[in-house]
Amino acid sequence: MPAIIPDVSPLLLAMDLTGIFIFGLTGGTLAVRHRLDIFGVMVLALVTALAGGVLRDLLIGAIPPATMQDERYLITALASGLFAFFFHPFINRLVKPVMVLDAAGLGIFAVAGCGKALAYGLGPLPAVLLGVLTACGGGLVRDVLVAEVPRVLREEIYAVAALLGAAIVIAGAMLDLPKAPVAIAGAAAAFLLRVVSVLRGWSAPRAPGS
């Protein structure tokens, strides 16, 4: 696999910020649905948008985390919370808005998390695991805070979709393919698998007899 210097490329930064805004919308929208006040909406948006990335950065040694180094991360997360607070009626007109937004954020964060792990010199398997952690971490905290069973633990395919997106990034790096098309393909594949699995009722395998 080609060596990559530990630097955040413009592509990774753009994907991080896009994922933060989308995941922040899911947290804020869910908070509004649970009738939380503006403080609750902002808290849920922030933890949903930032928790996975912060944990990823701590594990790869990117300290302090990007969220604490670059104000754009916090500004983007706060903006997503405010957008959800004031424009939730518009967001709710979408079909299954939280699920669709969550699927989009899942794909973007899986790709960005895996890409950043590779940039910091991790091997393929740890990079995939960190991509999944980045994608699922914020959503897990969000669901716990509103007393819902986290989506990553439900029957619907969730972590598997993130795993697919991260695996495509690994394959692209091994084949030395252009990063931007690979990132788009990985995010799109994770998004499509997540959405199709919900619409068709697909689920991950369960233990025999369970």
Side-chain angles (χ1 to χ4, degrees), residues 105-116:
L106 183 79
I108 292 171
F109 265 6
V111 168
C114 183
K116 190 166 184 177

Side-chain angles (χ1 to χ4, degrees), residues 47-156:
V47 298
T48 306
L50 303 175
V54 168
L55 187 54
R56 170 202 65 199
D57 288 352
L58 292 175
L59 289 174
I60 65 176
I63 301 172
T67 298
M68 304 304 169
Q69 295 189 56
D70 191 335
E71 290 185 351
R72 288 175 292 185
Y73 285 77
L74 284 172
I75 291 171
T76 302
L78 290 169
S80 68
L82 289 173
F83 191 92
F85 184 81
F86 288 107
F87 300 105
H88 62 91
F90 168 75
I91 298 173
N92 286 329
R93 292 193 190 102
L94 301 173
V95 178
K96 295 187 176 180
V98 173
M99 185 276 291
V100 173
L101 290 172
D102 191 65
L106 183 79
I108 292 171
F109 265 6
V111 168
C114 183
K116 190 166 184 177
L118 289 176
Y120 274 74
L122 271 69
L125 183 56
V128 168
L129 293 177
L130 278 178
V132 175
L133 178 64
T134 306
C136 299
L140 189 151
V141 176
R142 172 199 64 207
D143 294 343
V144 168
L145 287 177
V146 293
E148 291 186 1
V149 178
R151 285 172 171 78
V152 69
L153 302 179
R154 297 181 190 176
E155 293 183 2
E156 297 170 353

Side-chain angles (χ1 to χ4, degrees), residues 4 10 50 53 73 117 158 181 192:
I4 308 175
L50 303 175
Y73 285 77
Y158 193 83
L192 288 174

